[in-house]
Amino acid sequence: LGLMTPEMLKAAMKLGKHRPLFIDSTFGCNKLMFSLFFVMVADEWKSGTPIAYVITSSETALTTKAWLQAMLDRIRLSMPDFMPSCVLMDDANACINACREVMPQVPVMLCQWHVKVAMVKKLGSCVKLEKDRLDIWGKVNGLTPTDRGSRWRGSLAHRLLSLAFLC
């Protein structure tokens, strides 16, 4: 079940074209184990503005692809050239794969919080000494992609993020 009100459609057209699209979901937060997806764009004040809600009993790539395509088709009825600049989400593989199929030219990225959670897990399994883990984590936390300059490129944090999923 998908919901996009006329106001949500207006927000998608005003705030979503060539700007980031944010997708998140709740899983298993109710007795029926249905998932609620939130699709949002950022407004002028960088606050999340919902453009669609989806309630589904399945989070497979096929189901996600179907509702994502239906949402984009609805927006494109009013704005044929609608395309976000990127999609940010948690690390749900089915949703990532669906986004890549529906919008192959749009980069799909993990939010910074989920990247940090993944790094903490990998540090725990790859770096045995707690002292070393704390030292690496301190360096990663002190330098984030928002620095964007030469300080970030080539840094330990940049290399760790590049290799975080290879351990």
Side-chain angles (χ1 to χ4, degrees):
L1 172 66
L3 172 69
M4 179 184 281
T5 66
E7 291 79 17
M8 290 172 157
L9 177 59
K10 288 177 188 172
M13 293 186 307
K14 178 182 176 187
L15 304 169
K17 183 179 176 185
H18 305 301
R19 295 179 65 193
L21 187 71
F22 304 91
I23 300 176
D24 200 4
S25 69
T26 62
F27 175 73
C29 293
N30 54 65
K31 288 181 185 179
L32 298 175
M33 300 300 283
F34 280 76
S35 296
L36 172 63
F37 281 87
F38 305 85
V39 183
M40 296 182 289
V41 293
D43 63 17
E44 303 85 21
W45 301 280
K46 298 187 180 186
S47 294
T49 299
I51 62 168
Y53 297 113
V54 177
I55 299 172
T56 179
S57 60
S58 171
E59 284 196 21
T60 65
L62 187 63
T63 304
T64 305
K65 180 181 171 184
W67 67 254
L68 187 59
Q69 187 65 60
M71 180 194 74
L72 288 173
D73 290 346
R74 175 64 190 99
I75 296 169
R76 289 179 180 150
L77 281 175
S78 300
M79 180 182 272
D81 61 341
F82 177 86
M83 188 62 65
S85 61
C86 63
V87 178
L88 286 105
M89 63 177 62
D90 60 12
D91 58 352
N93 285 332
C95 195
I96 291 169
N97 293 336
C99 286
R100 287 183 175 154
E101 280 190 52
V102 173
M103 300 176 285
Q105 67 279 29
V106 176
V108 178
M109 298 182 241
L110 297 180
C111 70
Q112 188 174 6
W113 185 84
H114 282 95
V115 169
K116 284 185 175 185
V117 168
M119 288 186 69
V120 167
K121 287 180 184 177
K122 288 298 178 183
L123 277 174
S125 64
C126 296
V127 181
K128 299 304 175 200
L129 294 175
E130 183 176 0
K131 176 190 166 296
D132 293 340
R133 284 195 306 267
L134 290 173
D135 182 50
I136 291 169
W137 186 243
K139 290 176 182 171
V140 169
N141 259 343
L143 190 60
T144 64
T146 54
D147 293 326
R148 293 284 186 234
S150 58
R151 259 185 61 199
W152 169 252
R153 284 186 283 287
S155 69
L156 173 62
H158 182 255
R159 290 192 303 275
L160 280 173
L161 283 174
S162 300
L163 300 172
F165 301 102
L166 301 178
C167 291

